[in-house]
Amino acid sequence: MTDVLQVEHLSKSFGKTTVITDISLSVPAGSVFGFIGENGAGKTTTMKMILGLLKPDSGSVHVCGEKVRFGMTKSNRYVGYLPDVPQFYSYFRPQEYLRLCGQIAGMSTSQIARRSTELLEMVGLAKVTKRIGSFSRGMRQRLGVAQALIHSPRLLICDEPTSALDPVGRKEVLDLLHQISADTTVLFSTHVLSDVERICDRAAVLHHGTIVLDGNLADLKARHGSTGLQIEFSHPDDLARFRSLVPARLLADQTDTEVTVRTTDPKADMAILHLLAEHDILPVRFEALAPSVENLFLEAVA
Amino acid sequence: MRAFSSFLGKEFQESLRTYRLLIMVAAFVALGVLSPLLAKMVPDLLNGTDMGGGAILRVPPATALDSWGQFFKNISQLGVLILVIVDCGIMGTELAKGTLTNFLAKGLPRSTVIWAKFVSATVMWTLCYGLALLVTWGYTLYFWGNGPLSHAFLAFTCLWVFGVLLIALLILGGIIQSNIYGALLAAAAVIIVLNLVNIAPQAAKYNPISLAGGTVNLLSGHNTLGDYLPALWICLAAIVVIMAASLAVFDRKQL
């Protein structure tokens, strides 16, 4: 798999504030890449450097093998960009706006007509003829997806595409991203971890301007193994006996009959199982907790 | 070139749909009507005014030159103010709102944005200024007949060039500050400084502000071409420098 996007040793500061410190990441073609980070972690700054809208202090960015130069927007023909709050000319109708976008991107009139019909259909704005000024946030976001895709880019960059939306709008936009990922590589930033879990196959965690975790989501989960066990006993006495057998620091979140055990790998899980058997304790439930993106994230930024 | 024509088309559409063009056309046509009417009415209004002590004011009847005098005064004050108000958001609003991002991210060169905005604003200014000129000319002809005007073309061009200077300033100010206040500040600061410089009589010849109001003296034959040409050249040079600065600053601007 070739990389659509390669970021190498990128750093950026504004005045005395360092926002990005020496980050490197690559996005393989065909992937849906989740760029995770808290508010202010530097996600938007990174994306703007990829688009040549901000000038990196050091490091380089390549899109489809072409070096991105600040202020020069040649490499942007491969890229579609959806800003966090996309801004439109309120006096345009969606069709008119897409026509202008297509013209700027250098498309022919017939290409523009075909592509805008296709995209407006896809984002559910085909029948909307009112001006963008009266659009709801969800509609703007969907039009934002359409304008970003008008020139059939190879890489779509979305900056927190779901953060300002209600649950319905969020689902619509996520479904859209999932739908287009069939032929477009998607990089999207978010701090909503369930979004990542839902559509991403790769992810990187940005924390205080550095990448603290990066890779294939399935690999990451496997590498970080199980994150714990949930054990339920039939009687509080069983729990008390069990507690006397394991170090207290491993135990968390307990009720009378239920306890969560922090473990880091399957071997530890097996050891707990052996321990229970040795001491003739029969739990009513023994569950290995699947690692979630949330756990990965919290672990990474801890 | 296609990106330029598309973006220029967007600028004109914006002027139409946000009523900017309509407001400017209406205001300038009104100024065009007002100038000859004021020139015509002022003597009638003032004549016979009792100045006290038995003195009665007698004002000579207006001439075509009074009408043009009003025209230059109105356009260089109210007209220029309207131009500044209508065009102050031309660059600043886009940068403040971030509406350019979608297009820059599609490969629209930054210089294209600036040229499209400069050309559209200049075309609008030319249209409105020309309309006001035509209307005043028509009324002046009707009231006073076709009198001789010296250096008419240059006299009218001077004020137009001053307007173009303001447009360039509004663009540069908007880029530097990324809002309309930057544009207003740039235009206001330059007008104030030029007016201050104008206090020295020997500077007037080189001062672009003299293009704004004084050219009626050229029409009347009071002044000669040589009195305005240095200021005109300096103004044109200033426009070139300001536009070059706008391009350079915008190219380096982090968005």
Side-chain angles (χ1 to χ4, degrees), chain A residues 52-289:
Chain A
L53 296 174
L54 281 177
K55 189 178 187 174
D57 296 341
S58 61
S60 67
V61 179
H62 286 84
V63 175
C64 297
E66 213 169 284
K67 192 172 193 307
V68 175
R69 286 172 214 286
F70 166 68
M72 310 287 279
T73 39
K74 261 184 88 182
S75 55
N76 281 355
R77 66 184 186 279
Y78 301 119
V79 188
Y81 177 51
L82 172 63
D84 50 354
V85 183
Q87 295 290 350
F88 304 100
Y89 300 117
S90 52
Y91 48 83
F92 272 137
R93 295 184 175 83
Q95 293 82 351
E96 295 167 333
Y97 190 79
L98 289 189
R99 190 183 316 136
L100 179 62
C101 289
Q103 286 167 344
I104 299 292
M107 296 162 67
S108 74
T109 313
S110 59
Q111 272 178 321
I112 296 172
R114 201 189 53 234
R115 189 79 180 138
S116 15
T117 314
E118 220 172 86
L119 287 170
L120 287 173
E121 192 70 49
M122 184 179 93
V123 299
L125 294 173
K127 293 193 178 69
V128 180
T129 50
K130 60 181 179 180
R131 293 189 178 177
I132 302 172
S134 58
F135 274 26
S136 70
R137 241 176 174 171
M139 290 167 86
R140 280 165 194 261
Q141 209 73 7
R142 283 183 281 141
L143 180 62
V145 174
Q147 65 80 22
L149 292 172
I150 185 86
H151 53 309
S152 313
R154 291 176 55 189
L155 171 66
L156 175 68
I157 297 181
C158 310
D159 193 357
E160 304 202 354
T162 57
S163 61
L165 300 180
D166 61 22
V168 178
R170 150 170 286 145
K171 184 180 178 312
E172 285 170 351
V173 168
L174 284 179
D175 288 349
L176 267 178
L177 293 184
H178 188 66
Q179 194 182 333
I180 61 175
S181 65
D183 35 38
T184 310
T185 307
V186 179
L187 166 74
F188 84 97
S189 75
T190 185
H191 54 255
V192 184
L193 299 165
S194 58
D195 290 356
V196 175
E197 195 120 39
R198 214 156 116 193
I199 65 168
C200 291
D201 47 25
R202 296 182 73 87
V205 176
L206 189 66
H207 182 56
H208 292 325
T210 55
I211 300 244
V212 288
L213 195 68
D214 176 21
N216 187 306
L217 214 54
D219 285 353
L220 287 177
K221 284 182 182 176
R223 202 185 319 148
H224 288 258
S226 104
T227 51
L229 296 167
Q230 183 103 47
I231 311 174
E232 191 181 338
F233 301 93
S234 56
H235 200 273
D237 290 350
D238 287 347
L239 175 58
R241 281 174 60 208
F242 176 71
R243 283 182 53 192
S244 66
L245 298 171
V246 286
R249 64 184 164 82
L250 294 181
L251 302 177
D253 299 341
Q254 46 192 333
T255 62
D256 277 356
T257 55
E258 218 180 273
V259 69
T260 305
V261 188
R262 290 196 199 95
T263 57
T264 47
D265 62 287
K267 272 188 187 164
D269 295 355
M270 283 303 288
I272 299 282
L273 204 53
H274 280 302
L275 204 65
L276 288 168
E278 259 173 49
H279 293 84
D280 288 332
I281 308 172
L282 182 66
V284 290
R285 189 164 63 88
F286 183 92
E287 184 186 344
L289 295 173

Side-chain angles (χ1 to χ4, degrees), chain B residues 24-88:
Chain B
M24 239 176 105
V25 165
F28 275 79
V29 167
L31 289 179
V33 175
L34 209 60
S35 306
L37 284 186
L38 270 176
K40 183 84 183 152
M41 279 157 50
V42 166
D44 293 344
L45 287 174
L46 294 180
N47 260 342
T49 310
D50 190 347
M51 301 294 281
I56 302 288
L57 186 66
R58 291 263 171 255
V59 181
T63 64
L65 273 177
D66 292 321
S67 168
W68 289 117
Q70 282 289 344
F71 172 83
F72 282 116
K73 208 175 108 196
N74 287 335
I75 301 290
S76 68
Q77 293 174 2
L78 262 177
V80 160
L81 184 69
I82 292 162
L83 172 74
V84 168
I85 291 173
V86 168
D87 280 343
C88 65

Side-chain angles (χ1 to χ4, degrees), chain B residues 133-144:
Chain B
L133 186 65
L134 266 181
V135 171
T136 301
W137 180 74
Y139 275 92
T140 307
L141 197 68
Y142 173 73
F143 285 136
W144 294 282

Side-chain angles (χ1 to χ4, degrees), chain B residues 11-233:
Chain B
E11 287 297 320
F12 285 129
Q13 229 164 3
E14 181 171 298
S15 311
L16 270 176
R17 293 196 182 178
T18 55
Y19 305 109
R20 266 169 45 204
L21 183 63
L22 185 73
I23 292 169
M24 239 176 105
V25 165
F28 275 79
V29 167
L31 289 179
V33 175
L34 209 60
S35 306
L37 284 186
L38 270 176
K40 183 84 183 152
M41 279 157 50
V42 166
D44 293 344
L45 287 174
L46 294 180
N47 260 342
T49 310
D50 190 347
M51 301 294 281
I56 302 288
L57 186 66
R58 291 263 171 255
V59 181
T63 64
L65 273 177
D66 292 321
S67 168
W68 289 117
Q70 282 289 344
F71 172 83
F72 282 116
K73 208 175 108 196
N74 287 335
I75 301 290
S76 68
Q77 293 174 2
L78 262 177
V80 160
L81 184 69
I82 292 162
L83 172 74
V84 168
I85 291 173
V86 168
D87 280 343
C88 65
I90 191 170
M91 202 70 213
T93 311
E94 295 239 28
L95 291 175
K97 281 179 72 182
T99 37
L100 282 178
T101 312
N102 288 348
F103 299 98
L104 295 178
K106 280 186 186 58
L108 176 67
R110 294 183 179 204
S111 56
T112 304
V113 175
I114 292 183
W115 286 121
K117 288 192 176 287
F118 180 70
V119 169
S120 71
T122 304
V123 166
M124 237 169 91
W125 160 239
T126 310
L127 174 79
C128 294
Y129 182 67
L131 273 175
L133 186 65
L134 266 181
V135 171
T136 301
W137 180 74
Y139 275 92
T140 307
L141 197 68
Y142 173 73
F143 285 136
W144 294 282
N146 202 359
L149 296 174
S150 53
H151 305 301
F153 180 76
L154 192 79
F156 293 121
T157 304
C158 284
L159 181 49
W160 177 81
V161 172
F162 185 72
V164 178
L165 173 74
L166 287 180
I167 290 171
L169 274 171
L170 291 174
I171 291 177
L172 179 63
I175 292 172
I176 292 174
Q177 277 284 312
S178 297
N179 56 38
I180 61 169
Y181 304 108
L184 288 174
L185 193 71
V190 168
I191 289 178
I192 290 170
V193 168
L194 291 183
N195 271 307
L196 286 176
V197 171
N198 228 25
I199 292 172
Q202 58 271 40
K205 197 172 164 184
Y206 305 96
N207 194 339
I209 200 95
S210 62
L211 303 178
T215 41
V216 70
N217 292 332
L218 198 57
L219 277 185
S220 65
H222 261 90
N223 286 357
T224 61
L225 267 182
D227 294 328
Y228 293 98
L229 276 180
L232 188 61
W233 285 119

